[in-house]
Amino acid sequence: MPGTPPTRYAYLGPEGTFAEAALISAVAPAEGSRIPSPGVPAALAAVRSGDADAALVPLENSVEGSVPATMDGLAEGDPLLITREVFLAPSFVLAARPGTTLSDVRSVASHPHALAQTAGRLARLLPGVVPLPATSTAEAARQVAAGEHDAAVCAPIAAERYGLTALADDVADRSGAVTRFVLVAPPGPLPAPTGNDKTSLVAVVGDRTGALLDLLREFAVREISLTRIESRPTRERLGVYSFSLDCEGHAADARVGEALAALHRVCDELRFLGSYPRADGRENRPVTPVSTDAAFGEAAGWLERVRAGHV
C-alpha cells in the first residue's frame, strides 16, 4: 500500500479471536502493534478517531453470510477504505474450565456466527442447553474463565489464552467453512492494480421500478462480474435499500472507472469502499478485447476527434 504503512492495528477482540488469528496471518507482529477492540463498531471507531491506523474486521462467512455490524459500519460514518482481504478457515473447540465435564455444562456461549456453525454438534453434545450469544468467541472464552458460563465455542488459541481445556474438538457442523476479513484504513492512495483485484461499493437506489436493474446494467454492459451483492435497510423507511457489492477489477481499470462514474449518476448515493488485491484463490474472468483498457482508450480518443470535428 502506498504511503506510510500502518503500525497500529485494531481488531475484533478480546485476545484470542479469529480476527486476531487472521491479523497474525496477514501482518507479522514486528510490523505493528495489535489493539483488541470490544466490537466491530469500536474497531472501526478507533481508525476514524486516529487511535489506530487500520482495523481488521470480519465481513462475511461462507456458512452464515455477512456480518451486519461490519457492513453497516462501512456504509455509515466517515469513509473508510478496504485495502486488503484475508481469508481464514476457523477451527472450533468446545472449551471449559479444567475439571469440567460435559455433564457439568449448563450454559454455553459464543459469537452468533460460531453458534450457528456448530448448532448441530452442540445439540448432540449438550442436549437441552440453550446457547447464549457473546460479542466474540474469545469474549465467550473469557466469560467462561471468569465463571460467568460453563463452556464456550471458541478458537483453540482462545482456550489456551484463558486457561481452558477442550471438551470436544472440531465441533463445526460443516468442514471447510471460511471467514472473510477485511483490513480497513482512512482514505488515501489505493493499492496498485495487480490484474486480479476486487472493488467494493455501497449503492443506494431510489424506490422506483427498475432501479436495481439500472445499477446492474452498468456492470453488465462493461463485462464486469459481480462477486457479491446483498441488500441492507437504510433505516429511513421501507422500500429504500442500500446494496453492498463487490466486483472484479480495480478503480484504475478503464471499464471499472467508467462503471463507477455511471453508477454515480444513476444511484441516489454511492460510497466507494476500495479496490484491493483478490485473496480468495480465484482469478478474475478474462477480459474480452472490447473491454480492455486499450479499447476504452481508443474509443475515448475517437470521441474526442468527433467532438473536435475531425471525423
Side-chain angles (χ1 to χ4, degrees), residues 42 62 122:
S62 61
L122 289 180

Side-chain angles (χ1 to χ4, degrees), residues 50-63:
D51 291 334
D53 302 317
L56 188 107
V57 290
L59 182 65
E60 61 176 327
N61 177 268
S62 61
V63 175

Side-chain angles (χ1 to χ4, degrees), residues 75-246:
E76 302 167 356
D78 293 337
L80 294 172
L81 289 182
I82 299 172
T83 62
R84 185 173 181 177
E85 63 179 7
V86 180
F87 289 81
L88 182 74
S91 175
F92 298 105
V93 298
L94 178 64
R97 294 181 296 278
T100 304
T101 66
L102 282 173
S103 61
D104 297 326
V105 176
R106 296 291 180 268
S107 62
V108 59
S110 193
H111 187 276
H113 274 208
L115 293 176
Q117 293 178 64
T118 58
R121 186 77 186 280
L122 289 180
R124 293 189 294 272
L125 290 170
L126 304 170
V129 176
V130 178
L132 301 171
T135 56
S136 71
T137 55
E139 173 60 17
R142 187 202 65 77
Q143 291 173 355
V144 170
E148 299 174 35
H149 300 296
D150 296 326
V153 174
C154 62
I157 186 177
E160 181 179 347
R161 288 267 176 97
Y162 294 99
L164 307 181
T165 58
L167 300 178
D169 297 314
D170 298 323
V171 293
D173 295 333
R174 293 172 179 264
S175 60
V178 175
T179 299
R180 177 190 176 202
F181 296 85
V182 290
L183 188 67
V184 300
L190 302 181
T194 66
N196 196 43
D197 304 292
K198 285 182 184 176
T199 291
S200 295
L201 307 166
V202 175
V204 178
V205 296
D207 183 11
R208 55 184 173 80
T209 302
L212 178 57
L213 179 60
D214 289 342
L215 185 154
L216 297 177
R217 183 184 295 117
E218 302 301 341
F219 295 100
V221 297
R222 296 172 180 84
E223 300 183 2
I224 299 172
S225 178
L226 295 181
T227 60
R228 181 184 64 89
I229 181 170
E230 53 190 298
S231 64
R232 293 287 299 164
T234 59
R235 304 177 186 176
E236 296 177 0
R237 60 183 175 85
L238 287 175
V240 181
Y241 298 92
S242 67
F243 292 91
S244 175
L245 57 90
D246 301 331

